[in-house]
């Protein structure tokens, strides 16, 4: 899962760790039912990192799905961005994380 973001004021981009998992579906195998994906952004650095947290929650993760049999892929739609939120930075303290979810519908 690809996420584009920023890290400023004391933290480096490598201090932010991204973890993705499927809720209630540990293999993330599509069986014709909705899949709920959770993305966690965690500050593994020693200093606070400034992130546009409200923007990230509003937009959610941008998800690309791929059919392993045909090789076809598509990007799931995301909400219309509110670009004003990009400049509203909030501190993510060391060890702190935020989580976002995204549903993948059949």
């Amino acid at each position: 899962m690809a996420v584009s973001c920023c890290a400023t004021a004391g933290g480096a981009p490598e201090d932010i760790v991204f973890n993705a998992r499927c809720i209630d579906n540990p293999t993330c195998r599509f069986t014709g039912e909705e899949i709920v994906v959770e993305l966690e952004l965690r500050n593994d650095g020693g200093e606070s990192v400034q992130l546009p947290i409200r923007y990230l929650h509003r937009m959610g993760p941008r998800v690309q799905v791929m059919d392993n049999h045909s090789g076809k892929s598509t990007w799931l739609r995301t909400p219309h961005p509110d670009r004003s939120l990009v400049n509203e930075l909030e501190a993510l303290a060391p060890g702190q994380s935020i989580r976002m979810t995204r549903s993948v519908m059949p």
Side-chain angles (χ1 to χ4, degrees), residues 59-82:
M59 291 300 298
R62 185 168 180 231
V63 177
Q64 181 181 27
V65 293
M66 176 186 283
D67 181 335
N68 291 333
H69 297 290
S70 69
K72 293 181 181 179
S73 66
T74 188
W75 287 95
L76 301 181
R77 294 180 192 213
T78 57
H80 183 71
D82 181 351

Side-chain angles (χ1 to χ4, degrees), residues 11-30:
E14 61 269 13
D15 290 340
I16 301 297
V17 175
F18 300 96
N19 291 308
R21 71 180 184 97
C22 291
I23 298 173
D24 298 330
N25 184 345
T27 62
C28 285
R29 180 172 296 271
F30 180 69

Side-chain angles (χ1 to χ4, degrees), residues 7 12-20 39-47 49 51 56 92-100:
E14 61 269 13
D15 290 340
I16 301 297
V17 175
F18 300 96
N19 291 308
L39 177 68
E40 176 190 32
L41 285 77
R42 187 179 66 247
N43 181 356
D44 270 1
E47 299 181 39
V49 176
L51 297 171
L56 294 172
L92 190 64
Q96 186 179 14
S97 63
I98 60 170
R99 290 184 171 87
M100 298 168 280

